Amino acid sequence: MATDQTTAVVQRFLNQLGEISGNSPAEPIVRDLIASSVNRLHGLCASMLFRSYPRLTQPPLNLQSEELLSSVVERMLKAMRETRPGTVRQFFALANQHMRWELNDLARRLDKQVQLQTVTDSIAAAPQTSGSQLSANANRILEAIEALPDDEREVFSLLRIQELTQSEAADVLGISLKTVQRRLYRSLMLLTEALKDLPGTPAPS
């Protein structure tokens, strides 16, 4: 399968990075690493953009997944000058983090009108009558998500923002389905507690 081949190639480049010592240049390996994973990165960019940030694809920004990918690649090139993920999971977690940061930055510039379809439906019923109030609640939700522990944030992002199935998330992360379910439940508990003062916040289910 293409996914398995990508995983193996990415891990090989990560291993090469881990073996670098002294003043040996890492950038050529990092560029090859990103090039080998660009198709999967593009798919993740498109999924996150069109499913969770559709407003950014409309005027005045008209953001395309290719443009998002370009920004994420630039962010990754800079980040990996200091950060050296050791596994495929850590590499794509880093990429997901920079995708979120890039999209969040763009959303805040557009009057902070963040569209969080699954998140707002599942975690908090943000009022629709006031654009400024929606923005304030959306920012609270974003901050609460960013504050989640790494494992829970990773699972929550894949399931509720990128809308992967639990089985797909388990495959991406290389963990069991029960572990995915446990981390999702814990993330919902933590978010419910953090956002309990927002109107309409349900108990985790």
Side-chain angles (χ1 to χ4, degrees):
M1 294 176 61
T3 299
D4 294 335
Q5 293 175 349
T6 299
T7 298
V9 172
V10 169
Q11 187 61 62
R12 185 169 70 248
F13 284 123
L14 291 174
N15 292 341
Q16 291 178 15
L17 281 176
E19 295 170 358
I20 289 179
S21 60
N23 296 322
S24 300
E27 185 169 344
I29 298 176
V30 172
R31 289 188 177 278
D32 287 342
L33 165 62
I34 292 176
S36 70
S37 59
V38 71
N39 287 336
R40 191 185 296 186
L41 289 173
H42 182 242
L44 291 172
C45 283
S47 175
M48 188 177 291
L49 173 61
F50 288 101
R51 292 182 178 181
S52 302
Y53 296 80
R55 181 179 181 274
L56 300 183
T57 68
Q58 302 169 7
L61 192 59
N62 295 316
L63 183 66
Q64 299 297 313
S65 58
E66 292 80 7
E67 295 173 298
L68 175 59
L69 175 63
S70 178
S71 297
V72 170
V73 166
E74 183 177 355
R75 282 175 172 265
M76 290 288 287
L77 288 171
K78 293 178 180 178
M80 293 191 67
R81 292 171 185 169
E82 298 180 0
T83 303
R84 298 288 175 82
T87 66
V88 175
R89 171 186 171 184
Q90 292 171 352
F91 173 75
F92 283 107
L94 181 65
N96 276 322
Q97 184 180 58
H98 282 285
M99 287 176 203
R100 286 198 306 272
W101 286 346
E102 179 69 17
L103 287 166
N104 291 344
D105 286 346
L106 291 171
R108 290 186 181 104
R109 293 172 197 167
L110 293 177
D111 301 323
K112 300 182 180 180
Q113 298 297 312
V114 182
Q115 300 297 322
L116 295 174
Q117 299 167 343
T118 307
V119 181
T120 51
D121 289 341
S122 303
I123 301 301
Q128 301 295 321
T129 56
S130 167
S132 60
Q133 184 64 37
L134 174 61
S135 175
N137 284 337
N139 280 327
R140 281 283 311 281
I141 295 168
L142 284 171
E143 291 169 1
I145 293 171
E146 290 295 334
L148 289 172
D150 291 345
D151 288 342
E152 283 72 20
R153 185 177 66 244
E154 189 175 50
V155 166
F156 186 90
S157 174
L158 291 174
L159 294 178
R160 293 303 178 89
I161 296 180
Q162 297 187 45
E163 297 185 347
L164 270 64
T165 67
Q166 292 185 2
S167 295
E168 288 172 338
D171 289 340
V172 167
L173 300 177
I175 58 179
S176 69
L177 182 60
K178 287 190 175 181
T179 299
V180 168
Q181 294 169 342
R182 183 171 64 251
R183 291 178 183 176
L184 174 62
Y185 181 74
R186 176 167 169 74
S187 72
L188 292 174
M189 289 183 60
L190 293 171
L191 289 171
T192 298
E193 177 63 24
L195 302 169
K196 61 185 178 183
D197 59 311
L198 290 183
T201 304
S205 59

